Amino acid sequence: MTALLDRAATLPPYRAHWHGRAPRTLEEAPFMTAWAWRRMVIRHAGALIRPAALWALFPVPGDDPIWMPFAHDDVVAEARRALDVFRDAGLRPGDVVLSVAPEGPWVGNALPFLMAATDSLVPAHPPLDVQVLPLAVLTVTFRPDLTLFPFRRLPTVLVGSAADLHAIADFARAAGAPPLRCRLLLLSGPATDPATVRGFAETCVSLLHLPGALAPFGERADAPGVWLPQDKVRAELIPDAEWGRSIQDPAHVPRALPAADAQGLSGELVVTVDNQALPVIRLRTQERVRVLAADADGVRIARIAPSPSAVNGPRSASTSMSRA
């Protein structure tokens, strides 16, 4: 963590955010809000540690989305981590994956490419060996006469947000295609109606997208909640009582607890992610979660009461951007 803070202290964005005083420990670093991140990126986009290979939009519950840069090394590292996430979620060799991609450069659009790229970017591991079929909602919207699902093998895995999966299902019904029903559903974001979403597949696994990480964080079949590995994300929690006080008194700076000290508590998730293009340090995600378990390897969390923007993902994010 000291090396990460030292690296960030060499960057103009963080020097400005820290008012020229580099923190010695993570707890000494001030929080970063979505608003402060947007302002920082606009003013200092050229001061990245490494040139960004791509930029992706991350939804922020109850706020406008934020742009996040990724360097080439980030893409390779995230493909390696994605391999474990997808396998833990239940992908099997030979699966046919239909990935419903929303319009816009939302981070969820990276999922099919991470799946397709893992075999070439992570050569030392057994291949994922799945067939990935991206389908854009925007394409179907403008070409409703397209024949849906003209596949010799129907998909065994669905990937997408609840809003876009329902949109594709509506198009399929209008075209007289069979109902979407697969073995596994990888859901980007929480379910608006868990019972309805489970109608798409036998098993539903929720994926959590955190700023600074190109690959999502996912559930495992053997345990509830989303797993955040310690070697990728340092998780903290602003307990509900502290969060409520900061709402009542804007001058109050809330106190965050390390996730290991917050088991059983609920509050706002704060994350620090080592991103090679631009590290994310103590970002307030505005995601309300409960810490289910924590140990030296990481923390397991469950989302609570998601806001409409978190539920609907990129669609509500696009609406927020149009208002900005």
Side-chain angles (χ1 to χ4, degrees), residues 85-165:
V85 172
F86 295 144
R87 283 187 173 139
D88 288 344
L91 256 69
R92 305 170 184 167
D95 269 331
V96 177
V97 182
L98 176 62
S99 182
V100 183
E103 60 271 22
W106 184 64
V107 68
N109 288 4
L111 286 175
F113 302 102
L114 283 173
M115 289 180 180
T118 52
D119 291 349
S120 59
L121 292 177
V122 194
H125 292 66
L128 191 60
D129 195 22
V130 298
Q131 180 183 1
V132 185
L133 309 167
L135 178 65
V137 171
L138 197 61
T139 300
V140 182
T141 301
F142 283 97
R143 288 293 306 277
D145 57 322
L146 290 175
T147 301
L148 289 181
F149 316 125
F151 310 132
R152 293 180 61 185
R153 295 175 54 207
L154 288 177
T156 57
V157 179
L158 283 174
V159 182
S161 70
D164 291 307
L165 288 172

Side-chain angles (χ1 to χ4, degrees), residues 25 69 102 135-136 156 206 208 211 282 304 313:
T25 64
L135 178 65
T156 57
S206 178
L208 172 64
R282 300 201 89 191
I304 308 174

Side-chain angles (χ1 to χ4, degrees), residues 26-312:
L26 186 63
E27 292 72 18
E28 292 181 2
F31 293 121
M32 176 74 70
T33 63
W35 176 82
W37 180 270
R38 283 192 294 270
R39 183 181 62 174
M40 188 174 80
V41 168
I42 290 173
R43 291 183 178 180
H44 304 281
L48 304 179
I49 292 179
R50 300 187 183 183
L54 59 88
W55 290 76
L57 271 177
F58 283 79
V60 178
D63 203 336
D64 293 337
I66 58 176
W67 285 100
M68 190 65 55
F70 294 96
H72 183 268
D73 290 348
D74 292 317
V75 178
V76 175
E78 288 295 88
R80 186 179 298 110
R81 189 173 63 81
L83 187 62
D84 294 332
V85 172
F86 295 144
R87 283 187 173 139
D88 288 344
L91 256 69
R92 305 170 184 167
D95 269 331
V96 177
V97 182
L98 176 62
S99 182
V100 183
E103 60 271 22
W106 184 64
V107 68
N109 288 4
L111 286 175
F113 302 102
L114 283 173
M115 289 180 180
T118 52
D119 291 349
S120 59
L121 292 177
V122 194
H125 292 66
L128 191 60
D129 195 22
V130 298
Q131 180 183 1
V132 185
L133 309 167
L135 178 65
V137 171
L138 197 61
T139 300
V140 182
T141 301
F142 283 97
R143 288 293 306 277
D145 57 322
L146 290 175
T147 301
L148 289 181
F149 316 125
F151 310 132
R152 293 180 61 185
R153 295 175 54 207
L154 288 177
T156 57
V157 179
L158 283 174
V159 182
S161 70
D164 291 307
L165 288 172
H166 282 293
I168 291 297
D170 291 341
F171 285 123
R173 279 193 294 269
L180 284 170
R181 181 68 182 176
C182 296
R183 187 191 84 253
L184 175 65
L185 169 61
L186 301 182
L187 189 65
S188 289
T192 51
D193 182 354
T196 302
V197 169
R198 290 192 186 96
F200 286 104
E202 301 168 13
T203 304
C204 177
V205 173
S206 178
L207 301 177
L208 172 64
H209 297 272
L210 292 180
L214 189 60
F217 300 88
E219 297 177 330
R220 296 180 60 124
D222 58 353
V226 175
W227 175 250
L228 305 180
Q230 175 75 12
D231 60 356
K232 179 60 186 178
V233 55
R234 169 73 176 268
E236 300 175 272
L237 187 81
I238 297 177
D240 284 336
E242 283 286 306
W243 178 84
R245 183 180 173 189
S246 68
I247 295 298
Q248 296 175 355
D249 179 9
H252 174 67
V253 178
R255 182 174 61 94
L257 298 175
D261 299 333
Q263 295 190 52
L265 298 181
S266 61
E268 181 183 357
L269 178 65
V270 177
V271 297
T272 295
V273 180
D274 190 359
N275 184 323
Q276 288 297 316
L278 186 62
V280 179
I281 298 176
R282 300 201 89 191
L283 178 70
R284 295 183 61 169
T285 64
Q286 300 179 204
E287 288 275 2
R288 186 164 177 262
V289 303
R290 182 181 303 279
V291 179
L292 302 179
D295 56 32
D297 295 327
V299 57
R300 192 174 302 282
I301 62 172
R303 283 166 138 167
I304 308 174
S307 71
S309 64
V311 170
N312 296 322

